[in-house]
Amino acid sequence: MIVEKLEEQPGARLLLNLACAVVVVYGLRYASAILLPAAVALFLSVLSLPIMLWLQRHRVPGLLRIVIPVVLNIAVFGLLILLATRSLVQFQGRVGIYAAELDQLQAVWIQALEARTELPVSTYIGTAFVDPSVVANFARGLVGRAAELLGTTFLVFLIMAFMLSEASVFPEKFRYIMRGGVPGGRPAKVVTEVQAYVGIKTVVSLATGLLLGLWCWVMDLDFPVLLGVLAFLLHFIPTVGAIFAAVPAVMLSLILVGTVGHALAVALGYAVVGTLLGHILEPQLQGRQLGLSPLVLVLSLLFWGWAWGPMGALLAVPLTVVVKIWLENTPDLRWVAILLDKAPPRTDSESPTDVPSGV
């Protein structure tokens, strides 16, 4: 009875949908302590699934098929966290020196600008470019966040182990659902596309971090490992992530070397690596357009950052792309995926091979 009335009143149905959306959004934010580790574990499980399937094909015992991928992930991320935490501690010890250098550099620039323009620039800008105490508190906050992340790592890998243990059961469940005629979309296709996207994105991000860390080392900057890890993480955020990753390297160049030419060379290296890997290589590897419209990109960063904090901002674009892939493979919600995409789908006159799957 209620469903029939809602079908007769589209306005009431719209209000009900909006109310459900509010409940879901509040639930995402309220349950972030559980959902965020689960989301990280899901991405790690998707990346580790090919390893587990390879071990299964080679008849490795069931428990080892789960333990080996988990141990490999622990080793890789443990090494990254160890290197990043060590660099953060060293950075915290030098942050006061960097702040003083920035203040001195700003004073020189202001004097040069006043000499050229004969305007009292220092009156409007001030002499303190960076407050050392603020920077020191920020650095201590980064170390604290790294320690907090380390504390939740156990929960992430525990959830990941249970997800991998269920991976061999899910296909049978999906086949049973489809035999029963229950609408479920195309789960196997969704899983395959999500796995391909997350895998390629992670590999390209890792290559970006390695190349940019090496570039920072060649340019004789402090903390090249930390800068490489930062580039690896921020590459998951298109466009603005590359800018945020380049800012610390350019600032260190200005502090350590003090020449605009050196800073421009550092920025040029970031631009070249980001263009070649992020805008040329990655779309070719993906094989189809999985991009989001600029508006959706900004809104997803704001939403997931608000709901789940800094880690949510890092996972914002992958999470939104996963949702988009699921919508593409759900017939009655495919129109939402088209709204999220950069461009409308191909016309019928174009080759079927050019049509993004599910759109």
Side-chain angles (χ1 to χ4, degrees):
M1 180 68 68
I2 297 177
V3 175
E4 294 177 354
K5 289 184 178 180
L6 288 177
E7 290 179 352
E8 296 174 357
Q9 301 176 355
R13 187 170 66 250
L14 175 61
L15 292 177
L16 178 62
N17 292 335
L18 291 176
C20 294
V22 170
V23 173
V24 171
V25 169
Y26 178 77
L28 287 174
R29 181 175 172 86
Y30 182 78
S32 61
I34 299 174
L35 295 179
L36 181 56
V40 176
L42 177 61
F43 280 107
L44 294 180
S45 300
V46 170
L47 289 174
S48 304
L49 187 59
I51 300 176
M52 193 191 76
L53 294 178
W54 183 86
L55 294 173
Q56 183 177 5
R57 287 194 299 269
H58 288 75
R59 298 183 180 180
V60 176
L63 183 59
L64 287 178
R65 291 201 303 263
I66 300 172
V67 171
I68 291 176
V70 173
V71 171
L72 289 176
N73 280 274
I74 291 176
V76 172
F77 282 89
L79 179 61
L80 289 176
I81 292 175
L82 179 63
L83 293 175
T85 304
R86 181 179 179 183
S87 298
L88 280 174
V89 173
Q90 294 176 352
F91 174 76
Q92 183 181 357
R94 300 185 189 179
V95 67
I97 301 174
Y98 291 157
E101 291 289 340
L102 282 176
D103 288 340
Q104 185 177 358
L105 188 62
Q106 186 207 12
V108 172
W109 285 351
I110 290 177
Q111 291 176 1
L113 188 59
E114 287 179 340
R116 287 178 177 270
T117 61
E118 297 183 357
L119 294 175
V121 180
S122 59
T123 304
Y124 301 100
I125 297 180
T127 57
F129 181 71
V130 177
D131 186 353
S133 62
V134 173
V135 179
N137 291 333
F138 177 73
R140 283 193 292 269
L142 288 178
V143 176
R145 291 188 185 96
E148 182 180 352
L149 177 63
L150 186 63
T152 59
T153 301
F154 174 76
L155 178 60
V156 169
F157 288 116
L158 181 63
I159 298 174
M160 175 189 169
F162 282 102
M163 286 182 175
L164 289 177
S165 66
E166 290 285 331
S168 59
V169 182
F170 277 133
E172 295 296 331
K173 293 181 179 179
F174 286 143
R175 280 191 286 270
Y176 179 81
I177 291 174
M178 299 308 294
R179 283 198 304 267
V182 180
R186 288 173 285 180
K189 189 171 182 295
V190 173
V191 172
T192 301
E193 292 185 0
V194 170
Q195 182 180 348
Y197 169 77
V198 175
I200 293 173
K201 190 71 176 178
T202 302
V203 170
V204 175
S205 298
L206 183 60
T208 302
L210 290 174
L211 289 176
L212 290 178
L214 181 61
W215 176 246
C216 292
W217 176 76
V218 170
M219 299 302 292
D220 201 23
L221 297 180
D222 290 345
F223 313 115
V225 174
L226 180 60
L227 294 173
V229 172
L230 187 64
F232 162 71
L233 294 175
L234 292 179
H235 183 77
F236 285 93
I237 304 176
T239 309
V240 293
I243 298 174
F244 291 155
V247 168
V250 174
M251 296 295 291
L252 275 177
S253 173
L254 291 173
I255 293 172
L256 298 174
V257 181
T259 61
V260 178
H262 190 274
L264 289 177
V266 172
L268 180 62
Y270 272 78
V272 170
V273 172
T275 302
L276 292 178
L277 297 185
H279 297 282
I280 297 178
L281 178 62
E282 185 176 336
Q284 291 181 352
L285 294 177
Q286 294 288 359
R288 71 183 187 93
Q289 185 64 34
L290 283 173
L292 304 171
S293 72
L295 176 60
V296 173
L297 173 62
V298 173
L299 292 178
S300 66
L301 290 174
L302 293 176
F303 173 76
W304 292 109
W306 167 79
W308 290 353
M311 185 60 68
L314 289 176
L315 296 175
V317 175
L319 285 171
T320 309
V321 170
V322 168
V323 173
K324 178 173 173 286
I325 292 173
W326 173 71
L327 293 172
E328 286 177 350
N329 291 275
T330 306
D332 57 332
L333 295 176
R334 194 171 298 165
W335 61 274
V336 182
I338 296 175
L339 293 178
L340 296 179
D341 210 337
K342 276 185 177 180
R346 305 277 185 173
T347 59
D348 295 337
S349 59
E350 294 175 312
S351 173
T353 58
D354 296 332
V355 181
S357 57
V359 178

